[in-house]
Amino acid sequence: MAEPVRTIAVLVANPALSSILSMVLASVPSFRVRPFESELALVTYMRLAPVDVVVTDFDSAAARADRVARDLRADQSIPHHDYQVIALASVVSPETKELCIASGIDEVIVKPMSPRYLLERVQSRLARRAASFAGYRSVRAASARRDFSQYGNVIPLWTRERPLPTH
């Protein structure tokens, strides 16, 4: 049985980085990779077609990751809300963590990182989602209990001491 086609949306600050990430993600035959130059283009696409993972960037002045995630989660005209958001960040401060939690970002990867590392994280997120079948909230709850110490670039956003935000 063929793997289902998964759509990965890429909205990052640098066009060269967008091209490289898109090329590496597109190396998986079951991934349909869609690079976007603006948040408006991404939102317009998501109103028409489902997206499985959104990769966005904190270094983008026009479309910062937390604002993009918050706008996508709040947009009722997007019919499919069963997607995950992976944010790229140069620095992860306590403020960045709070912004991620408040906006519904599922995972943060610290730059610089290998594009292949992003590919591994996207595949991991999709595999975990496929195993859960329960949608966005259960994926966030599962990621809160996961031990992220094995990944040098992954910053856990939810700890056991802090309750998960409810939407």
Side-chain angles (χ1 to χ4, degrees), residues 6-140:
R6 304 292 187 181
T7 303
I8 315 301
V10 178
L11 174 63
V12 296
N14 184 317
L17 179 60
S18 177
S19 295
I20 292 168
L21 296 179
S22 296
M23 179 186 68
V24 170
L25 291 168
S27 69
V28 175
S30 63
F31 285 2
R32 177 184 305 128
V33 181
R34 300 288 187 242
F36 295 93
E37 293 182 11
S38 70
E39 181 180 356
L40 178 60
L42 172 62
V43 170
T44 302
Y45 181 85
M46 290 180 71
R47 288 177 180 159
L48 301 172
V51 169
D52 296 287
V53 176
V54 175
V55 177
T56 186
D57 194 350
F58 267 100
D59 293 336
S60 176
R64 202 172 75 192
D66 62 311
R67 284 187 253 140
V68 170
R70 184 189 64 233
D71 293 348
L72 292 175
R73 301 275 189 223
D75 192 333
Q76 296 302 314
S77 64
I78 296 174
H80 306 280
H81 279 274
D82 190 24
Y83 56 86
Q84 297 180 55
V85 179
I86 296 176
L88 308 177
S90 297
V91 176
V92 178
S93 66
E95 177 189 6
T96 306
K97 286 184 180 183
E98 290 297 323
L99 291 170
C100 290
I101 292 168
S103 62
I105 291 174
D106 297 290
E107 184 172 319
V108 177
I109 299 176
V110 179
K111 297 189 297 186
M113 86 301 180
S114 164
R116 303 258 327 138
Y117 182 76
L118 174 64
L119 174 62
E120 290 173 11
R121 297 307 307 145
V122 168
Q123 289 173 317
S124 175
R125 288 227 151 253
L126 290 172
R128 198 171 333 142
R129 185 177 79 175
S132 75
F133 293 113
Y136 171 69
R137 292 179 197 267
S138 68
V139 169
R140 283 183 48 184

